[in-house]
Amino acid sequence: MNYPERLRVEWASLDWREVGAWSASLRVALMAGLFAVVVAVGGWGVFGGMAARNEALEAEERTLRNRLAASAAQVANLDQLRTQGAALEAIFADWQARLSTTSETAGLIEGITEAAEDNHLSIEGIELTDSHRLDHYAELPVSLRVSGTYHQLGAFAGSLANLPHILTLHDFEIESGASGNDLRVRIDLKTYLLLEEP
């Protein structure tokens, strides 16, 4: 009888209640098998948790590398960003300076009147309505009624754009005037008021 066959016969005849009576080779094989199972289960418990932690640390490392690359790009462009920031601050200061204050409202109405007169328009009425407060500024609607020719009205719109304060044109109502070339126009304008800091 060869060795594998003898081992199979011996394995079938084993009594698990009398392990001490087994041959030394079988006891060694049983102990080696139990040791391998214990090591495998323990290794899976220990190293399985370490693998998950390792994956989490690798993901965190990738995130930190991306942040580092973004920060390095910003540092490389720092002078350009500072120049852009200074340009934006200058634009903001210019726009803020162009906001009217409540004390300048009369001067704004005077500027609109002068622009109409310089372009030979007849002013039929200027009406201020209540201002509408927003976060950092307020809108002051102005309703204006003028009459004149098409070209005079176009030149007037250009003159309004050249006023030192921000002034936007909104709704228009145009109708024929008394003569064939004249137009009567109602224009809704808005100027923007700088809110006084408390």
Side-chain angles (χ1 to χ4, degrees):
M1 177 182 313
N2 59 16
Y3 181 76
E5 191 175 313
R6 188 181 65 175
L7 192 59
R8 185 177 54 77
V9 169
E10 198 174 314
W11 185 260
S13 66
L14 289 177
D15 185 6
W16 288 93
R17 290 176 292 201
E18 297 180 11
V19 174
W22 291 2
S23 68
S25 61
L26 284 176
R27 286 187 302 216
V28 168
L30 176 65
M31 294 306 268
L34 286 175
F35 180 75
V37 168
V38 168
V39 167
V41 169
W44 178 78
V46 170
F47 295 116
M50 290 177 79
R53 175 152 170 72
N54 188 36
E55 287 177 14
L57 288 173
E58 286 176 355
E60 183 179 353
E61 179 187 10
R62 283 191 297 274
T63 301
L64 291 173
R65 284 184 183 271
N66 291 339
R67 285 176 46 195
L68 178 64
S71 296
Q74 287 180 343
V75 168
N77 295 327
L78 187 59
D79 290 335
Q80 181 182 3
L81 291 173
R82 284 185 177 152
T83 302
Q84 289 175 350
L88 288 174
E89 286 179 10
I91 290 169
F92 178 74
D94 178 53
W95 281 94
Q96 192 173 20
R98 293 182 65 196
L99 290 174
S100 303
T101 60
T102 50
S103 62
E104 295 174 320
T105 304
L108 177 67
I109 298 303
E110 184 178 319
I112 293 171
T113 304
E114 286 177 6
E117 289 173 353
D118 289 346
N119 291 290
H120 310 290
L121 293 176
S122 298
I123 299 174
E124 297 178 4
I126 296 178
E127 182 181 328
L128 294 173
T129 57
D130 292 334
S131 62
H132 176 69
R133 184 184 174 106
L134 298 169
D135 289 338
H136 304 289
Y137 63 94
E139 293 178 342
L140 178 64
V142 178
S143 183
L144 176 66
R145 290 181 310 283
V146 293
S147 62
T149 65
Y150 176 80
H151 295 291
Q152 290 170 336
L153 291 168
F156 172 65
S159 297
L160 290 178
N162 291 327
L163 289 177
H165 299 290
I166 299 172
L167 189 66
T168 56
L169 307 175
H170 292 272
D171 296 329
F172 296 83
E173 285 182 10
I174 302 174
E175 55 186 45
S176 297
S179 71
N181 290 335
D182 280 351
L183 298 172
R184 294 180 71 213
V185 180
R186 185 194 57 79
I187 306 170
D188 289 335
L189 309 167
K190 283 186 184 175
T191 188
Y192 301 90
L193 304 175
L194 182 63
L195 296 176
E196 305 288 335
E197 293 295 327

